[in-house]
Amino acid sequence: MDHKTMTIREMCDTFEVTPRTLRFYEAKELLFPIREGQKRLFTKRDRARLKLILRGKRFGFSLEEIRQLLDMYYMGDQQHTQLATTYEIAKQRLDDMIGQRDELNEAIEDLKSQIKWGEKMLASMNSAQKAAQ
């Protein structure tokens, strides 16, 4: 494998994504592979960007947020703006995720209590049915 560039297959294998995913990110101008006819060659920069894209998606960032953060890399301020903006978006996303988790935990507890109630009702009905026989 050439360490300077990777084929679409090598990218897929390395990052566990599909060719369609890579083409989608290319179409959205998040990745910029070198084109040699139909062949795409991904640079070290593309690999770094894909790693950040996948991490951002895992954290629930939108593609537009990811694009804005990636575009800030070249602002010429040693990535200060990029890091500060990423930090703020990440803090907000963490707060959102914690809120979603809390809502989900509450729904789980509510559903557990409903299931227990249902079990008691079914047991009571089964007892009544057996007693009637």
Side-chain angles (χ1 to χ4, degrees):
M1 171 175 58
D2 180 7
H3 293 287
K4 292 186 180 188
T5 61
M6 292 175 76
T7 65
I8 197 165
R9 176 54 39 213
E10 290 168 332
M11 288 287 283
C12 291
D13 292 345
T14 300
F15 292 97
E16 298 178 352
V17 296
T18 65
R20 184 175 183 205
T21 299
L22 294 176
R23 287 190 295 270
F24 176 77
Y25 291 148
E26 181 183 0
K28 294 292 182 182
E29 298 181 345
L30 294 168
L31 297 176
F32 304 93
I34 300 166
R35 299 294 296 258
E36 290 181 357
Q38 292 293 88
K39 188 175 180 181
R40 290 172 172 85
L41 296 174
F42 294 87
T43 64
K44 183 178 180 180
R45 178 177 178 252
D46 290 313
R47 293 191 296 274
R49 288 175 70 92
L50 180 59
K51 188 175 181 179
L52 292 172
I53 292 165
L54 296 174
R55 183 178 296 152
K57 290 302 293 172
R58 191 172 119 235
F59 294 152
F61 290 13
S62 71
L63 284 181
E64 187 53 36
E65 288 171 325
I66 293 167
R67 175 198 320 286
Q68 290 172 7
L69 293 172
L70 290 172
D71 288 349
M72 288 179 193
Y73 182 81
Y74 295 101
M75 290 187 70
D77 65 354
Q78 286 92 28
Q79 293 82 44
H80 179 271
T81 302
Q82 182 187 39
L83 290 172
T85 304
T86 301
Y87 175 79
E88 290 303 319
I89 292 172
K91 277 185 14 182
Q92 180 59 52
R93 183 65 191 131
L94 180 60
D95 289 345
D96 293 345
M97 291 170 79
I98 290 169
Q100 290 171 343
R101 182 196 60 199
D102 292 347
E103 288 174 13
L104 187 55
N105 284 339
E106 188 177 319
I108 288 169
E109 291 307 313
D110 199 19
L111 184 55
K112 283 180 180 179
S113 70
Q114 289 296 309
I115 288 171
K116 284 182 183 176
W117 177 84
E119 287 171 349
K120 288 178 186 175
M121 291 300 292
L122 287 171
S124 173
M125 289 175 173
N126 287 339
S127 294
Q129 228 175 14
K130 286 179 184 176
Q133 294 175 347

